[in-house]
């Protein structure tokens, strides 16, 4: 299957597959992603009709990027690991969106970005 590519508004070429989709969520396994729309594990190279470019890739090439701090990355990882542990133990879990996790971190600790 030929890989489809699209261009964002800043001229950056983006491959159309799970890894560039707004609905994907990274798991600790390099061979899997979690689709927040389908609510299931998917392979990073999978493509489905629900694909939409991720917000990060929409902004790629804008030259106004910020670096997320390590504390936020670890906080995000802890939240996701707890969700996955609960799911695998059979508990019903509402998976938090990235925006919910960011808001929670910012409320507790401040900005998710490294100070410049």
């Amino acid at each position: 299957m030929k890989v489809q590519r699209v261009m964002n508004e800043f001229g950056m070429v983006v491959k159309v597959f799970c890894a560039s989709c707004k609905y994907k969520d990274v798991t600790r396994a390099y061979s899997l992603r979690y689709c927040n729309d389908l609510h299931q594990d998917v392979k990073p190279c999978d493509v489905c009709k629900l694909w939409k470019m991720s917000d990060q890739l929409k902004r790629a090439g804008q030259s106004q990027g910020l670096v997320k701090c390590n504390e936020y990355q670890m906080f995000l990882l802890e939240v996701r690991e707890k969700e996955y542990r609960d799911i695998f133990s059979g508990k019903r879990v509402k998976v938090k969106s990235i925006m919910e996790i960011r808001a929670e971190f910012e409320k507790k600790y401040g900005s998710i970005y490294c100070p410049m």
Side-chain angles (χ1 to χ4, degrees):
M1 183 169 143
K2 186 167 169 82
V3 176
Q4 182 182 355
R5 291 175 169 80
V6 295
M7 195 173 289
N8 73 7
E9 69 176 280
F10 302 103
M12 301 296 292
V13 176
V14 176
K15 290 181 184 179
V16 177
F17 63 138
C18 175
S20 64
C21 183
K22 80 180 267 180
Y23 299 117
K24 75 111 178 354
D25 199 353
V26 178
T27 66
R28 289 196 68 181
Y30 291 109
S31 59
L32 290 177
R33 300 274 196 272
Y34 182 81
C35 179
N36 286 315
D37 200 39
L38 297 174
H39 304 289
Q40 65 186 33
D41 288 333
V42 292
K43 293 181 181 174
C45 294
D46 285 352
V47 179
C48 76
K49 63 184 178 192
L50 302 174
W51 183 89
K52 289 200 166 87
M53 189 182 302
S54 72
D55 291 338
Q56 295 91 337
L57 290 174
K58 284 181 182 178
R59 292 189 302 267
Q62 190 177 13
S63 299
Q64 295 178 346
L66 297 171
V67 176
K68 293 180 183 79
C69 67
N70 189 53
E71 293 81 7
Y72 168 69
Q73 297 289 350
M74 294 294 98
F75 181 83
L76 173 61
L77 183 60
E78 287 174 19
V79 169
R80 290 297 187 232
E81 284 180 336
K82 183 182 182 323
E83 288 173 345
Y84 293 131
R85 279 194 309 270
D86 289 347
I87 289 168
F88 292 129
S89 70
K91 295 179 184 175
R92 295 195 69 146
V93 175
K94 180 197 176 289
V95 176
K96 293 179 183 178
S97 72
I98 286 291
M99 297 312 289
E100 290 171 318
I101 295 170
R102 286 180 184 174
E104 184 179 337
F105 181 88
E106 288 176 335
K107 184 177 179 182
K108 289 180 178 180
Y109 307 107
S111 176
I112 67 170
Y113 300 106
C114 294
M116 296 296 192

